[in-house]
Amino acid sequence: MALHSIKPAQDLTEDIYDDPISVAHLSKFIMPATSTPPHVIAQMITDELMLDGNAKQNFATFCSTWLEPEIHQLMDLCIDKNMIDKDEYPQTAELEARCVHMLAALWNNPKAGTTLGCSTTGSSEAAMLGGLAMKWRWRKAREAAGLNAQKPNLVCGPVQICWHKFARYFDVELREMQLEGNEVGMNPDKLQQYVDENTIGVVATLGVTYTCVYEPVKAICETLDQIQKARGWDIPVHVDGASGGFVAPFVQPEIEWDFRLERVKSINASGHKFGLAPLGVGWVVWRSKEELPEELIFTVDYLGGNMPTFTLNFSRPGGQIVSQYFLLLRLGFEGYRKIHQSCMNTAQWMAKEIAGMGPFELFYDGKGGLPALSYTLKQGDHGFSLYDLSDRLRMRGWQIASYPLPERRQHTVIQRIMVRHGLSKDLASLLIRDIKSALAFFKNTPASRPSFSHG
């Protein structure tokens, strides 16, 4: 609906674009000296926002881009509620606690009803909280044993930038396992080369950002069991389930990655990715209260008692939490399963279509990991690069990520398509059609840049 359609009745003889502000540039560096009617400014900003990409056509993002009308209503209802004020908004705090226990149960926590966890602004903050808990537990154990606790390190595979931030901000050495050969994630066989007595934990990623595959959490835990038996190092595992934490339980329940594994002490996930909630909510859950050092917990008054809190952020709206609770109730297990299975089916169908086009070699076919697909260019000069293809598709509004893999696999450039709730088979078929059209264009008009292939 155009914003000027809700213009106040007394202004009906005027036109928004006759307003003085509409024939001038909007202020960009200093506040204007005078006020302007709200509907005029809102329309001017709305016009500028048309220059953004269409979120629904953004297949580079993991984040939710479609929400039911009821969620918009709940977000509006909670826009003025500061969820950190748990004594003032006790029911919002109650809904947050319910989500924590539901997720703990979803992830097979044996103490789901009593364990600790919290909401965050997203998985990055949740991951850092998990990392902080590991660092403090490691330091307390070292100091109790009379050992040096000055050089902590954290071991991981190819990780999202938040873990690099954690390491820098909290003075931890990040030991990121190099990808070699055909590796697409952490190789448990190489763990012995990376861990030592100063390792605060190992991060296993359930849905690697670069490749969309699940790292083998169970094999990682079993390798650490062997290392503990041989060296005495009891190294915990934190699972970064930013995306897979809301996918695997529903469509890949046979995969053991969660609290079924004793060595998994904490899990984080993004509610605003495959949790289907609005942007701005993540979750972290610990196996038990004992895994979260008391020194990191602050308490606030709550209905005459104390409620533990552990966050890096402070003031933030409660709408995303309420919306997450709504989704858990509204969809239930079967609803989430149907949605994510549909996304998996669409991703696998698109992968077959891409493979049949000729110049592409599938890198990930949408099976066994996240609902997504990725591909490289086959060897040879095709007259275009994957970057050229991304640019060409952008002309039709499609936003498709093209990027090199990290470190020693940088010679491999892939293009990735994320399949999320809201991508219908019909819309996916239109994207496939436009990719075919782009290939026909490049055949007749080769790009000036050399093509990148799977080297």
Side-chain angles (χ1 to χ4, degrees), residues 6 29 96 98 110 151 155-156 199 223 228 232 261 298 344 356 375 428:
I6 57 175
F29 301 104
E96 178 188 22
R98 292 179 192 176
K151 295 182 178 181
V155 176
C156 60
T199 300
T223 300
Q228 181 178 3
L261 305 171
F298 291 82
M344 299 292 288
Y375 43 90

Side-chain angles (χ1 to χ4, degrees), residues 410-437:
Q410 285 185 340
H411 62 282
T412 301
V413 176
I414 68 174
Q415 193 164 86
R416 186 195 68 202
I417 297 175
M418 298 303 306
V419 179
R420 304 177 314 278
H421 186 33
L423 173 59
S424 65
K425 185 78 171 287
D426 179 68
L427 191 61
S429 68
L430 294 178
L431 172 56
I432 292 295
R433 183 197 66 183
D434 285 345
I435 292 176
K436 291 179 179 178
S437 177

Side-chain angles (χ1 to χ4, degrees), residues 196-438:
D196 59 28
E197 63 181 354
N198 292 320
T199 300
I200 66 173
V202 171
V203 174
T205 305
L206 201 72
V208 176
T209 302
Y210 302 101
T211 62
C212 296
V213 303
Y214 298 158
E215 290 186 327
V217 184
K218 185 176 182 179
I220 290 168
C221 290
E222 289 172 345
T223 300
L224 291 174
D225 289 343
Q226 296 169 9
I227 291 174
Q228 181 178 3
K229 186 175 181 179
R231 306 298 300 272
W233 304 329
D234 185 8
I235 300 172
V237 169
H238 173 88
V239 177
D240 185 343
S243 297
F246 272 103
V247 175
F250 303 108
V251 297
Q252 298 131 341
E254 72 282 357
I255 298 177
E256 295 183 50
W257 64 274
D258 52 19
F259 292 118
R260 284 171 286 183
L261 305 171
E262 284 286 336
R263 199 167 288 276
V264 173
K265 305 301 183 183
S266 51
I267 298 172
N268 72 270
S270 283
H272 60 231
K273 292 180 181 175
F274 291 97
L276 309 182
L279 280 165
V281 62
W283 301 94
V284 59
V285 177
W286 283 269
R287 168 176 287 276
S288 65
K289 294 179 180 179
E290 292 71 30
E291 302 301 334
L292 180 55
E294 292 183 1
E295 295 86 347
L296 294 175
I297 301 173
F298 291 82
T299 58
V300 296
D301 290 335
Y302 174 60
L303 295 179
N306 290 324
M307 170 170 277
T309 65
F310 176 33
T311 62
L312 296 178
N313 210 322
F314 202 70
S315 296
R316 57 189 174 92
Q320 290 88 342
I321 295 166
V322 175
S323 296
Q324 184 76 81
Y325 182 61
F326 163 83
L327 285 160
L328 293 174
L329 294 184
R330 179 260 184 277
L331 293 175
F333 189 93
E334 185 62 13
Y336 270 99
R337 189 196 66 78
K338 287 181 177 179
I339 288 170
H340 292 328
Q341 187 59 60
S342 176
C343 291
M344 299 292 288
N345 295 343
T346 299
Q348 292 165 20
W349 174 80
M350 294 182 74
K352 290 181 181 178
E353 292 292 314
I354 292 287
M357 291 182 188
F360 304 115
E361 180 178 337
L362 287 179
F363 185 84
Y364 171 64
D365 63 0
K367 297 178 181 178
L370 299 178
L373 61 142
S374 59
Y375 43 90
T376 65
L377 278 175
K378 293 179 179 177
Q379 291 280 6
D381 187 1
H382 302 283
F384 69 95
S385 72
L386 291 177
Y387 300 112
D388 295 321
L389 179 56
S390 288
D391 289 343
R392 185 71 186 174
L393 292 172
R394 190 67 179 261
M395 295 174 65
R396 287 279 291 167
W398 308 110
Q399 300 171 63
I400 311 295
S402 297
Y403 53 88
L405 293 181
E407 301 298 338
R408 297 176 186 174
R409 296 205 64 183
Q410 285 185 340
H411 62 282
T412 301
V413 176
I414 68 174
Q415 193 164 86
R416 186 195 68 202
I417 297 175
M418 298 303 306
V419 179
R420 304 177 314 278
H421 186 33
L423 173 59
S424 65
K425 185 78 171 287
D426 179 68
L427 191 61
S429 68
L430 294 178
L431 172 56
I432 292 295
R433 183 197 66 183
D434 285 345
I435 292 176
K436 291 179 179 178
S437 177

Side-chain angles (χ1 to χ4, degrees), residues 66-271:
W66 184 84
L67 301 165
E68 291 181 309
E70 290 82 1
I71 292 180
H72 289 269
Q73 295 168 16
L74 289 170
M75 291 290 287
D76 189 53
L77 180 67
C78 299
I79 197 169
D80 58 353
K81 293 186 178 183
N82 185 357
M83 60 77 55
I84 204 66
D85 293 332
K86 299 183 186 298
D87 57 334
E88 296 177 19
Y89 306 110
Q91 201 57 33
T92 299
E94 166 68 18
L95 300 190
E96 178 188 22
R98 292 179 192 176
C99 289
V100 166
H101 297 310
M102 286 183 178
L103 294 177
L106 179 68
W107 297 332
N108 294 292
N109 191 314
K111 299 182 179 180
T114 59
T115 191
L116 294 180
C118 63
S119 68
T120 62
T121 55
S123 241
S124 293
E125 181 187 359
M128 291 190 189
L129 296 180
L132 276 173
M134 288 192 294
K135 179 180 178 181
W136 279 64
R137 286 186 69 251
W138 169 83
R139 186 170 62 188
K140 287 180 66 176
R142 297 282 293 179
E143 290 174 347
L147 300 172
N148 185 286
Q150 300 301 312
K151 295 182 178 181
N153 67 72
L154 181 70
V155 176
C156 60
V159 288
Q160 205 260 0
I161 190 64
C162 73
W163 288 106
H164 292 266
K165 289 183 178 180
F166 166 77
R168 185 178 301 179
Y169 294 169
F170 297 107
D171 197 22
V172 175
E173 176 193 357
L174 189 68
R175 296 181 177 180
E176 191 171 9
M177 195 175 289
Q178 298 279 330
L179 294 182
E180 298 176 307
N182 292 321
E183 292 174 349
V184 293
M186 181 184 293
N187 182 348
D189 295 337
K190 291 160 52 173
L191 270 173
Q192 298 218 33
Q193 305 171 32
Y194 288 82
V195 300
D196 59 28
E197 63 181 354
N198 292 320
T199 300
I200 66 173
V202 171
V203 174
T205 305
L206 201 72
V208 176
T209 302
Y210 302 101
T211 62
C212 296
V213 303
Y214 298 158
E215 290 186 327
V217 184
K218 185 176 182 179
I220 290 168
C221 290
E222 289 172 345
T223 300
L224 291 174
D225 289 343
Q226 296 169 9
I227 291 174
Q228 181 178 3
K229 186 175 181 179
R231 306 298 300 272
W233 304 329
D234 185 8
I235 300 172
V237 169
H238 173 88
V239 177
D240 185 343
S243 297
F246 272 103
V247 175
F250 303 108
V251 297
Q252 298 131 341
E254 72 282 357
I255 298 177
E256 295 183 50
W257 64 274
D258 52 19
F259 292 118
R260 284 171 286 183
L261 305 171
E262 284 286 336
R263 199 167 288 276
V264 173
K265 305 301 183 183
S266 51
I267 298 172
N268 72 270
S270 283

